[in-house]
Structure formats: structure tokens, C-alpha cells
Amino acid sequence: MATRIKIKELESGGLKIKGLELTVGRVTEFDEWAEPMGPTPYPTLMDLRAWDLKLLERYPPFYSPLSDFCEFCTYGKCDLTAGKRGACGIDMAGHMGKWVLLQTVMGAAAHTTHAHHLLNFLIKQYGADHPIDLGSEVEIEAPITRLITGIRPKKLSDLLDVVNYLEGQITHLLSATATGQEQNYLDYESKALHAGMLDILALEVADIAQISALGFPKGDAETPFIEVGMGVVERNKPVILCIGHNVAPGSEVINYLDESGLYGKVEVAGVCCTASDLARLSKGAKIVGPISRQLRFIRMGIADVVIVDQECVRADVIEEAMRVGSRVIATSDQLVGGLPNYTNVDDDIVVSKLVSGEELAVVIQDPVKVGRVAVKAAQLIYPLRLNQKGYNRNEIVSKASACTLCLSCTKNCPIGINVGLAVNMAKRGDQSLLLEVFDECLGCARCDASCPEDIPVLSVIDAASEDKIKNERFKIRAGRGPIKDTEIRKVGRPIVMGEIPGVIAFAGCSNYPGGNIAVAKMADEFAKRNYIVVAAGCAALDIARYKDENGQTLYEKYPGAFDAGCIVNLGPCVSNAHAVGAVVKIASLFARRNLRGNFEEIADYILNRIGAVAIAWGAQHQKAMSIATGANRFGIPVILGPQGVKYRRAYLGRSEDYDRWLVYNAKDGRMVYVGPTPEHLLCVVETMEEAMVTAAKLVMRPNDTPKGRMIKLSNYISLHRQFYGTFPEDLHLFVRDENDLPITMKDEILTLIKQKGWKPTETPDPTLLSRMIFGGR
Amino acid sequence: MSKAIAWDEAEVRGPKTAYILTPENCGKMLRRAKRLLIIVGGNILDDEYTKVGMVNIIERIANKLGATLAISPGVFRAFQNYNGTKYMVNVESVVERLLDAHWMGFDGGGKYDFILFVGGLYPFQSMMLSSLKHFAPTLRTISIERYYHPNATFSLENLSFEKWREGLEALLKALEA
């Protein structure tokens, strides 16, 4: 957060000043770090605006309004259809920009709050001076933090400075959404890009803090295999289920079990990212699955105690858990759920109230206390609830008999599954379609809410699928966290030169059209083709929930290194930071670019040279939107599945627009055409096949060597032919000269592209930044 | 008395919502198109479309009216035997170009004046129609889906499968008359 002083002209006494510009940076503790400070440490809302506007000029926002109205103030609601302005003067593009900013701020705020809560807890438990240590092979411990803030965190308390910065910026961004503040859609987008970047910084803070303090894996390729699936939780033991993203309470459950000699006598399981983190902490922790399993597992009544922390906790979980006799402990100020606060009440009293049922759900905001209370309560409640575990299959499925085939459930299914037909068939004795629906279902229960006959449709689907649920058992590698510097040194050159065709990162939630199988098949295809595949969050869990023809999950089939032909489970959502961090590290370790406070130069490097693409096939949450937008500011394109259209905004390029694809040649300052590489920054695709072919196209970069471009083109062409049955029509845009052409298809392609008027182009030293011409000299 | 309710009941829009046309009138309306673009979504091979032979219906409409097909890449293969004008294109990308008053179409031959949507996931298609409704308000859009699409200019109402199948035949009859 630098302060700038400008004096155009001043004459006072004998002193004359003209054209003075002074920048006073943030005062930081002396550090022997030799790297010079870049131009934008702790950037504010305006510091990277010029970079954003360059991106937005090439990739203008494309809006799809989800509503015709603005409802933000008492002038409204205002109809903004087809060019109308609201009473405050805003038009639909501005309104859409505001929505986008709000969503990204929500995401960034959620991750920042998570990081802050976690950091406070870890400092309390392990001390402010606890070192940031990601292992001996990870010297660049915090590439995002170094890049954005200009500091090199050495101890947990150093990260508090970063969190304070994040909270300040997020407040400013939220403020800009108030009526009468920002009004231009491009500036809303610039601010959204800022929010997204902050989100990725928050992710890194949260994950490096917990990895350092809790002893999580530090970049090990061969982390232990963990069981995942609704069938992996043992029902003949007390069960504690943790839901959310903050591992603190769950980690204290495991600590207490260890200390009290009860480890192995109580099942500890989780849903969503807390589950991924527990699996990093303890091999014995079970992962029920991604968010699509949350309500389903709760309804099965297997959990004796449910601990909810923060983020991605369904709004009906507490009510649903209590309905099946599970006891609930809410642990975060972000989700108190209207429950009484027992944080300062004696353990025995809380346990007694929970066991007796006097209180079915309480708030305890002390993770250590949560650990003790949850274990004690689970042990005592377990024998009292034996008859509440699992479905009474026949009783529940028989509720389908009330179905009138009104199709209200079908109409309300977010992904258009014909649930109504399946339920009606079950009414007539045929449950086969229910079993098919089970595989695709998101587990959202909108069908339940819509049923005029009060059929618990989701429970009917699950009860009919009981055998499938019991057999739902897969294996996933525990999240490994950071990518090692040694790995980056090995793959940096082949990635930048294009010889490894690209890094494909799977991220996001489980809002899939057609089940999780698509995300697994895509990961399989890219790993087979020697891309580096990484995954985090629910996408990483969903990749595990698929077995190939040999009965192996993809994590068993492929190694877990950051290398060609491998599939890496980075960890939970916050571990998405390591995917971005890896490409930032390539710029540092391979290209020797300075990271410190040097965001724009590194983002320009990534956009022009590193073939990384993210696929968020089932993105659902505001956090996924925020992470995607952050990745975009770093120069990483993102592909969303069809439900991603409801984020209301894409960043689309136009391949035929010549001027958009001009870059500076840093060697001599000339503007050079480089083709649409990458063509889009954020786009929505409709099918898995389209996602794969698009990803193979979006990994192309202006800097690819002829060999690298040849490999990338080979994959693009091959996938295109495999899925679409034709050569790409836009091939001429990506061939710079004949050396780029795959040798086996050279003549055929040359003929094709010459018909399109193709002419050779040059390969520059590409940059969008005029200050980088002649190496910035 | 009837109310026009979107298939996805939460898709409540207004005040500018689609006029409901009978299938016959859809056919007659399409005949008014001077330069028709048919945007084929990525779900065109789903069961319901297959059962009514939608690929064939699209080809017949396109042939009759000299329309251009903009086909979502994942289903392009379904039209491999179609010899008329067709392009494989990401649906968002083609809609983005339609917002540009200066875009002269895939062939540079002039603006499209009528856009027919079919074969997309309902919410996705609804959002594409919303983009056009808001940012290209003079462009006429029409949906021949089984379900009412409020963001189109013209749409069929929600129909039973049988009524839809019969309606599509009636549409073709009106078109080819």
C-alpha cells in the first residue's frame, strides 16, 4: 500500500522543485531478501487497472442477465430490459458488472475470513512465530504472496499483515457496489478481477498456514490413499461428520481421539473441503464426498454428531440433521444458525444436554472444546441412535405411490433430469430409472421442495439406490499441497516451450450436467495425452469417484507428480492456490523473472507463455466464480460447464479480429500478430467434448516453440477429429510457419490452410506491456 | 384462461416476455425470415429430440428457408450428411457476435434477422436468449423447444411430448406449404 506524492512545480525560498514524484512504500521489517521490490506491492484498486483494461480490450465481457430487473435500492425495482436505464441511471451492462463484482467479493470475502479464522486459531495453538515451512524442496513457499504483497512470509504472524490487507481491499471493493459509486461496467470488471486476485491470495494464506502448522503433506507426490464414498463410513462405531472448509474443529477431534487413546474407536468423516483437509491430517479420516453428498449422507442418519464450520454448508443441514437425531455443533461466527452459544459452558453440561436431547444443536466457537465435546457426545449418543441409522428402504420408496406425474420435480431440477418419470415408474414397481437418476443427481433436493404431494423425492432416489451407496468406495490420494521447486525446474522449460502440451487444472463444485463422470473422463483423457493434470476441491473428489475398466480410480492409475501424464490432487479449494502458484513459480524459477510486488509482468508472462487452462465443469458457488476471475487476472483462461452461464459473464475473444491479437515484440518494440492465443479468457461450453477440444486450443501461447506448437496442434487436431470427426476450421490461425505443423499431417494441413489464405507469421518475444520492450530497459 | 409460465418455474421475467405462438404460426413466422440463423445446442442428441427426429426437422427448416446452421461443436457430427450452410461454433461465441451491430454473419453476406434456438440445456438456452433480448433488442428470436422460453421473442408454450411432436409436424407443414 504505497503512498505517492507528486509535485508539479514548487518554489519556496531558495528551494525549487519541478516534476517530483515520490513513492513511499509500506514499511516492512528488514529482510535479507535480495530481490528488488517491483512496482505494485500491496496493490490497491487502481494499481493494476491498466492491466485489467488490456485484458478487457481483448476479452470484452459478454453478459447474460439472469433477471431483467435491478432490485438494489428503494427506487426499484427497475426494469433494465433492452437498453432501459434504472432510476439511479444504471444500465444493464453496469448492473451486470455490479453483480459480477458482488459475486467475486463474496467469494474473496469467504476465503479471506476462512484464512483469518484459521490463522488466529493456528497462532493461538502453535504460536505467532511458528515458521512457514513447506519442506526442503519448496523454497518459494508463497509465490502468490510474494508476487502480490512483496513480502516473504517466514512465520504465521507475517500472514496477518496479508489478511489485514485483504480485508481492507475487500471493504473498498464492496463499497464500490453501493448505489452512487462505480458505474462503468469495465471498471466493475477491473474491480472484480482485483477481487479474484485477492481471493487467490487468501487461498494461499490459508493453505500455507495450515500445511506449516498442522503437518499436512508438503508437496509429496505419493501421498497416502484415502477412502472416499458414501459407503466408506463404518456404521458400527460412533460417527462424527465434519462439513465445510475450516479444518480447525475437525483437527481437534482427531487430536482429542489421539490423546485419549480413542483413535480408531470413533469414525471421523467429512464432506467437502474439510474432509479433504482431515485426510491430509490423518490417514484414518474418511471422505464421504463432495457437496453433492452432503444432504444425502445427513439424511441417512449415520452421523451421531455433525460439526459444521464455514462455506458450502447447506442452509438446511442443521434442520435435516436434527430430524434424524444427529446432534449438531456449529463452530464458526460465519454460520451460527440461530443456535444457543455454549462456548463458555462446562464440557460435561454441554455433553449432557446434547445426549439427553435437551439441546440438539449448539454453538461452540472454540475448536479444542469442540474436539472434546464432539467425541464424548458421539460415544454416548451412538447406542441411543442405532435404529436411526440408514434408510428404511421399503417405507421410503413406497412414498412414491403418491406421485401424480405432475412433473413439478422435473421442472425444478437444475440440470433437467426427468425425476418425475423415475418416481412415477417406481410407483408402478420399476425402480430402474431411480438408479440412473442417482448417478446424475446433484443432491440439491429442489425436487422435494417442489413436490405438491410432499414426496421426499431425494430420499426416494437414495433409498432405492441403497446398494449403490453401500458399494460407493473409491480411493483418492490425500492432497499434496504445493508443487516442489525441483518439479518446476524439471517441467518449466518443456511447459514454456510447449513440449508438455499444457497444464490442465480441474476446479470447482459438483453442479454437473450428467454426473461426475465427465470430469473424470476429461482428466483421464488429458493425462493419457501427457498433459499435466491437477485438481482441487470438489473436482478432485469427483475425479476419484470413477473407476476405469480395470477397477482403478485415476489416482491409482496415474502418478501424483507435477509432470506430464500425471494427476495431482492438490487438496481442498484453498489448494487451488498451488495451481496458480506453480505457474507463477515457472516464471520465477525457469525464466528468472522477479516476483516481488511484480504482478503485471508475471501475469503478462503467464498469458503469453505458459499453457495453463482451468476447467470448472460444475462451478456453482460464488467462490468458484471468484477463483476463476482471479485466474483470469493472472492470465489463465478458464472453461466453465453449461451451468456456469448463470455467473452471467464470460470474457470472450474474437478469433477473426486481427487487431486484438497484436502484441509487442519485446526485442524491438514492433507490433506482431500472434493469432488468437489464447482465444478466450472465460467461456462456457455445453459438452464434455467441447470442453476438451477448447482446452487443447486454449493452451496455445504466442511464445510456443515450433516443436511445442506442433505438439499442441497435434493434440488439438487429434481431439477435434476424435470428438467432432473433422479437422479444425480455424487451424490457419494457429500455424505460424510450416515448422509448426505435425509432420505426419503436414501436406494435408498445408493444403487446408492455404485454402483459407494462410500466410506465415513470425514468433515474437511477446508482451502486452510497452515497458517490457528491450527487456524493460 | 392460461398463464405463460417458464418450464423452469423460477425463470420469472418481465415485462418483455415471449409471445406464445402455435406451431403452425411458428412455421408462418419463420417464413418471414429474410436471413435465418438456426443455433443448435449441445443437447440435440438427447432422448426427447431424438424421438421427434429433431436433427431431420432442423435440416428441413434450413433447406426450406436457406438458413445457416450454427451447431454446437459436441453435436456437429449429427449433421455430417447435411449439405447446406453450416458452421461448428461455440454457442456463446455466436451469440456474442450477434450482439455486434456490425457483424455481417459467418459468410459476410449480411446480418441475420431471425434466430431460431433449439437443442440446448434449458437454463443455458434461456441465458443466451436473455443476452439477445437485452443487448440486441431488434433481433427476433424464436424457440421451438417443448417448453416456453420467456426470453425469446416468440416461443411455443409448454407442451406434452405428443402435442410437441404433432406441433412440429404442423410447423413443417405450414413452412413447406
Side-chain angles (χ1 to χ4, degrees):
Chain A
M1 282 171 282
T3 302
R4 294 201 175 93
I5 301 167
K6 280 186 182 177
I7 301 174
K8 277 189 179 172
E9 201 166 342
L10 174 74
E11 196 165 350
S12 172
L15 180 69
K16 192 174 179 184
I17 299 173
K18 201 171 180 182
L20 175 72
E21 190 169 336
L22 186 66
T23 303
V24 182
R26 184 188 175 86
V27 178
T28 52
E29 204 176 313
F30 174 77
D31 187 344
E32 73 279 13
W33 190 11
E35 196 166 300
M37 186 65 88
T40 56
Y42 288 103
T44 61
L45 274 62
M46 294 298 286
D47 289 339
L48 296 167
R49 180 173 179 257
W51 170 247
D52 298 334
L53 295 179
K54 282 182 201 303
L55 292 176
L56 296 169
E57 190 180 356
R58 187 192 269 186
Y59 307 104
F62 164 75
Y63 293 124
S64 303
L66 191 56
S67 162
D68 297 341
F69 306 109
C70 175
E71 301 169 3
F72 280 134
C73 82
T74 61
Y75 276 150
K77 48 186 175 179
C78 293
D79 172 31
L80 303 181
T81 306
K84 290 181 193 163
R85 285 185 183 270
C88 74
I90 203 162
D91 64 6
M92 184 53 94
H95 182 61
M96 284 293 93
K98 181 182 284 195
W99 257 113
V100 166
L101 175 55
L102 268 174
Q103 289 183 95
T104 48
V105 166
M106 282 185 207
H111 281 136
T112 298
T113 308
H114 172 181
H116 204 163
H117 284 169
L118 195 55
L119 205 49
N120 284 343
F121 167 72
L122 295 173
I123 286 172
K124 189 176 169 193
Q125 293 299 103
Y126 300 92
D129 292 334
H130 188 88
I132 302 294
D133 175 13
L134 300 196
S136 59
E137 292 180 65
V138 181
E139 282 179 28
I140 301 182
E141 73 303 298
I144 312 287
T145 306
R146 289 183 180 202
L147 178 68
I148 295 172
T149 67
I151 71 158
R152 190 168 62 163
K154 292 185 170 171
K155 51 188 192 297
L156 289 177
S157 59
D158 292 343
L159 296 173
L160 284 174
D161 278 352
V162 182
V163 167
N164 288 336
Y165 159 71
L166 287 166
E167 289 172 346
Q169 290 298 294
I170 286 167
T171 304
H172 286 237
L173 289 168
L174 183 58
S175 160
T177 66
T179 303
Q181 302 269 55
E182 190 54 79
Q183 51 187 246
N184 178 276
Y185 73 99
L186 289 177
D187 273 308
Y188 274 124
E189 291 292 349
S190 169
K191 289 177 171 66
L193 288 161
H194 193 59
M197 179 196 75
L198 298 174
D199 191 324
I200 288 175
L201 177 59
L203 301 179
E204 182 175 271
V205 169
D207 211 28
I208 64 174
Q210 61 185 0
I211 289 171
S212 299
L214 297 177
F216 288 177
K218 296 176 174 178
D220 313 321
E222 306 294 317
T223 50
F225 282 109
I226 307 293
E227 287 195 287
V228 55
M230 288 205 287
V232 303
V233 178
E234 290 185 37
R235 301 181 187 197
N236 57 355
K237 293 178 185 176
V239 175
I240 298 172
L241 180 73
C242 303
I243 303 175
H245 284 63
N246 189 332
V247 72
S251 71
E252 288 303 321
V253 168
I254 289 173
N255 283 346
Y256 182 73
L257 288 171
D258 265 340
E259 287 163 12
S260 53
L262 292 168
Y263 190 84
K265 293 180 180 162
V266 175
E267 281 280 86
V268 181
V271 176
C272 239
C273 287
T274 293
S276 295
D277 274 335
L278 290 173
R280 296 208 273 182
L281 186 67
S282 164
K283 261 179 78 172
K286 307 279 178 67
I287 303 174
V288 171
I291 191 168
S292 60
R293 269 35 195 166
Q294 194 175 133
L295 180 57
R296 320 176 97 150
F297 194 76
I298 291 280
R299 280 193 180 178
M300 286 163 66
I302 291 169
D304 296 296
V305 173
V306 175
I307 297 172
V308 296
D309 52 83
Q310 59 195 107
E311 302 161 58
C312 298
V313 181
R314 287 181 55 92
D316 53 3
V317 150
I318 295 172
E319 191 184 325
E320 291 271 358
M322 291 196 296
R323 190 176 296 157
V324 293
S326 304
R327 308 308 197 255
V328 181
I329 304 175
T331 62
S332 165
D333 62 8
Q334 298 295 295
L335 194 181
V336 185
L339 303 176
N341 190 351
Y342 278 77
T343 306
N344 297 317
V345 176
D346 180 76
D347 285 8
D348 291 337
I349 294 172
V350 188
V351 171
S352 152
K353 283 181 182 276
L354 285 170
V355 174
S356 69
E358 188 180 335
E359 296 286 6
L360 289 173
V362 297
V363 173
I364 302 177
Q365 298 211 303
D366 170 358
V368 178
K369 185 185 182 82
V370 171
R372 294 191 304 263
V373 169
V375 172
K376 288 176 186 171
Q379 287 180 297
L380 294 169
I381 291 164
Y382 166 69
L384 309 177
R385 296 188 60 256
L386 289 174
N387 64 349
Q388 288 177 287
K389 297 197 175 215
Y391 280 126
N392 183 333
R393 179 175 176 159
N394 293 335
E395 184 191 323
I396 291 177
V397 175
S398 70
K399 295 189 177 184
S401 62
C403 178
T404 61
L405 198 58
C406 71
L407 296 183
S408 183
C409 49
T410 302
K411 290 180 188 177
N412 280 283
C413 175
I415 54 171
I417 300 174
N418 198 342
V419 189
L421 182 61
V423 173
N424 202 261
M425 281 172 61
K427 173 185 176 178
R428 289 176 276 132
D430 180 358
Q431 297 176 19
S432 60
L433 199 53
L434 285 176
L435 301 185
E436 284 180 35
V437 169
F438 173 81
D439 291 335
E440 295 188 17
C441 173
L442 304 175
C444 74
R446 219 161 85 175
C447 43
D448 285 25
S450 70
C451 180
E453 305 300 326
D454 291 329
I455 299 171
V457 181
L458 180 64
S459 299
V460 170
I461 296 167
D462 286 357
S465 309
E466 195 180 23
D467 293 340
K468 274 190 167 182
I469 290 172
K470 279 183 182 160
N471 293 318
E472 196 182 272
R473 305 174 78 93
F474 304 93
K475 283 186 178 166
I476 184 171
R477 281 195 187 281
R480 55 168 281 181
I483 305 304
K484 291 179 177 175
D485 296 8
T486 44
E487 292 175 297
I488 297 290
R489 288 196 173 92
K490 184 180 170 202
V491 300
R493 181 183 172 79
I495 290 174
V496 173
M497 297 302 161
E499 292 151 11
I500 289 176
V503 180
I504 307 292
F506 289 93
C509 331
S510 296
N511 190 8
Y512 308 120
N516 68 303
I517 193 165
V519 70
K521 283 191 165 177
M522 287 191 273
D524 195 15
E525 184 71 43
F526 284 116
K528 264 193 292 195
R529 289 173 175 273
N530 268 339
Y531 289 75
I532 297 174
V533 177
V534 302
C538 282
L541 300 181
D542 275 321
I543 286 173
R545 297 193 315 108
Y546 163 80
K547 288 179 181 169
D548 69 3
E549 61 280 7
N550 299 318
Q552 284 186 307
T553 66
L554 299 182
Y555 294 106
E556 294 170 290
K557 184 175 173 181
Y558 295 103
F562 188 76
D563 205 345
C566 298
I567 297 184
V568 177
N569 175 20
L570 295 167
C573 270
V574 291
S575 298
N576 276 304
H578 305 303
V580 180
V583 295
V584 170
K585 281 209 234 185
I586 290 170
S588 168
L589 292 169
F590 168 68
R592 302 276 169 205
R593 301 283 182 120
N594 289 338
L595 294 187
R596 194 174 191 181
N598 196 22
F599 184 88
E600 192 181 53
E601 181 183 332
I602 297 301
D604 178 64
Y605 184 91
I606 294 168
L607 179 69
N608 283 298
R609 295 163 200 270
I610 302 180
V613 171
I615 299 177
W617 186 243
Q620 174 260 336
H621 200 277
Q622 298 92 8
K623 293 181 296 168
M625 168 69 157
S626 184
I627 293 172
T629 305
N632 291 159
R633 200 186 215 191
F634 277 87
I636 301 170
V638 179
I639 299 167
L640 301 174
Q643 295 282 64
V645 76
K646 293 178 204 163
Y647 285 135
R648 311 164 201 218
R649 183 264 275 134
Y651 293 139
L652 302 178
R654 278 228 200 140
S655 57
E656 71 274 21
D657 193 343
Y658 183 90
D659 289 348
R660 287 195 202 184
W661 311 110
L662 296 173
V663 302
Y664 292 110
N665 184 352
K667 286 176 188 157
D668 56 20
R670 281 180 307 116
M671 297 299 282
V672 176
Y673 174 77
V674 291
T677 49
E679 185 175 350
H680 305 301
L681 212 46
L682 184 71
C683 63
V684 176
V685 300
E686 290 186 275
T687 61
M688 165 181 81
E689 292 80 8
E690 190 183 0
M692 283 191 269
V693 179
T694 305
K697 181 159 73 168
L698 293 184
V699 294
M700 285 188 254
R701 293 292 182 276
N703 187 59
D704 294 336
T705 60
K707 185 180 171 191
R709 182 59 66 90
M710 186 196 298
I711 291 169
K712 291 181 181 183
L713 278 173
S714 295
N715 280 291
Y716 176 45
I717 294 166
S718 158
L719 283 163
H720 206 282
R721 294 174 81 175
Q722 180 178 334
F723 294 126
Y724 305 162
T726 62
F727 269 99
E729 288 285 331
D730 55 0
L731 211 45
H732 59 293
L733 301 173
F734 302 106
V735 179
R736 297 160 304 179
D737 64 45
E738 292 187 24
N739 293 323
D740 287 347
L741 294 170
I743 295 163
T744 53
M745 297 180 271
K746 193 168 183 174
D747 293 340
E748 195 177 358
I749 295 173
L750 256 183
T751 308
L752 276 173
I753 62 177
K754 280 182 177 172
Q755 286 167 0
K756 298 256 182 191
W758 173 80
K759 287 195 171 54
T761 55
E762 62 181 294
T763 303
D765 182 3
T767 177
L768 296 182
L769 306 174
S770 57
R771 69 182 171 85
M772 295 308 297
I773 296 168
F774 304 118
R777 291 190 299 278
Chain B
M1 300 283 278
S2 69
K3 288 191 292 182
I5 297 174
W7 172 251
D8 177 348
E9 292 169 341
E11 183 58 300
V12 178
R13 297 279 182 153
K16 188 181 176 189
T17 51
Y19 294 103
I20 292 177
L21 294 183
T22 62
E24 293 86 346
N25 284 339
C26 265
K28 289 175 189 167
M29 185 63 77
L30 284 169
R31 287 173 68 168
R32 295 188 193 178
K34 294 186 180 72
R35 198 162 143 80
L36 174 67
L37 179 69
I38 302 177
I39 297 180
V40 181
N43 290 62
I44 200 72
L45 298 178
D46 286 2
D47 275 359
E48 283 207 344
Y49 297 110
T50 308
K51 283 179 189 162
V52 296
M54 187 57 88
V55 169
N56 178 256
I57 292 170
I58 293 166
E59 290 179 353
R60 283 170 67 183
I61 295 172
N63 264 327
K64 177 67 187 173
L65 299 174
T68 298
L69 297 187
I71 304 164
S72 186
V75 294
F76 188 78
R77 268 188 165 166
F79 294 85
Q80 60 186 344
N81 297 323
Y82 179 68
N83 294 321
T85 311
K86 62 183 177 187
Y87 296 88
M88 177 194 300
V89 60
N90 166 265
V91 169
E92 245 190 2
S93 290
V94 68
V95 172
E96 190 269 336
R97 283 165 175 79
L98 288 168
L99 305 186
D100 180 352
H102 303 291
W103 190 55
M104 290 291 123
F106 291 105
D107 57 0
K111 294 177 197 170
Y112 302 105
D113 67 329
F114 225 119
I115 316 296
L116 187 153
F117 275 84
V118 66
L121 195 67
Y122 186 90
F124 178 76
Q125 200 155 284
S126 181
M127 294 293 269
M128 294 299 98
L129 287 162
S130 174
S131 293
L132 292 171
K133 177 170 98 171
H134 281 278
F135 300 111
T138 59
L139 205 54
R140 287 174 298 172
T141 57
I142 188 164
S143 163
I144 57 166
E145 298 285 358
R146 194 182 140 194
Y147 310 116
Y148 179 64
H149 264 294
N151 290 318
T153 318
F154 307 106
S155 171
L156 299 177
E157 63 182 324
N158 294 324
L159 296 169
S160 70
F161 180 78
E162 276 313 314
K163 284 247 167 89
W164 184 48
R165 189 209 296 264
E166 290 163 16
L168 290 168
E169 284 303 318
L171 182 155
L172 287 170
K173 204 171 161 187
L175 194 66
E176 293 170 344

